[in-house]
Amino acid sequence: MEAPQPTGWVGWVALAGIGMMILGCFQAFMGLVGIFNTDFYVVTANNLAIPVNYTAWGWFHLAMGVIVFLAGAAIMTGKTWGRVVGITLAALQALVNFAWLPAYPVWSTIVIAFDVLVIYALAVHGREMKAFDRGAVP
């Protein structure tokens, strides 16, 4: 099957890829804060949706950030596996940030909203990035 011609939605897919790379960095920074400065958070670890210490949660956020960044880079090159991993990670990242909501309410809400946009752009229009990457611009 031939890749579809790119439309204006390629911009949304590129936004999803670049956004995932940026969010991956922010997610990694959130993890580093959880690892190195557990007194930063207003809510104690016992009052989180999933009671776990901030250091363990920080390592998880750091790993998620690196993986999300790499998936964003794959999306920018039009890789199909990047789309699949991107959708999966955006959904997982939204769930993780939902659990993180009491500790970081505003930031977690922003990340969840952006993850929904990423999932839509990749699921509906992600194949167009491959055609755009090949230079098949109308």
Side-chain angles (χ1 to χ4, degrees):
M1 178 154 81
E2 190 173 318
Q5 290 296 316
T7 64
W9 277 99
V10 168
W12 285 102
V13 176
L15 176 69
I18 292 169
M20 285 183 71
M21 293 169 69
I22 292 169
L23 280 178
C25 290
F26 286 151
Q27 195 82 10
F29 287 133
M30 284 172 61
L32 290 173
V33 169
I35 293 168
F36 295 115
N37 189 8
T38 56
D39 296 331
F40 176 79
Y41 301 105
V42 177
V43 176
T44 64
N46 293 334
N47 290 331
L48 291 174
I50 301 171
V52 62
N53 70 30
Y54 280 123
T55 304
W57 207 234
W59 281 108
F60 184 75
H61 274 274
L62 181 61
M64 277 285 291
V66 170
I67 294 168
V68 168
F69 179 87
L70 294 174
I75 289 165
M76 293 302 295
T77 62
K79 305 286 188 219
T80 302
W81 68 266
R83 285 179 51 218
V84 173
V85 171
I87 291 169
T88 304
L89 288 177
L92 181 62
Q93 182 170 263
L95 289 173
V96 166
N97 279 283
F98 184 74
W100 192 255
L101 205 58
Y104 240 159
V106 175
W107 180 250
S108 293
T109 303
I110 291 168
V111 172
I112 291 167
F114 193 80
D115 285 333
V116 170
L117 176 67
V118 166
I119 291 167
Y120 175 76
L122 294 177
V124 177
H125 299 283
R127 289 188 337 187
E128 296 175 18
M129 194 66 172
K130 188 179 288 188
F132 181 76
D133 191 44
R134 289 188 198 131
V137 180

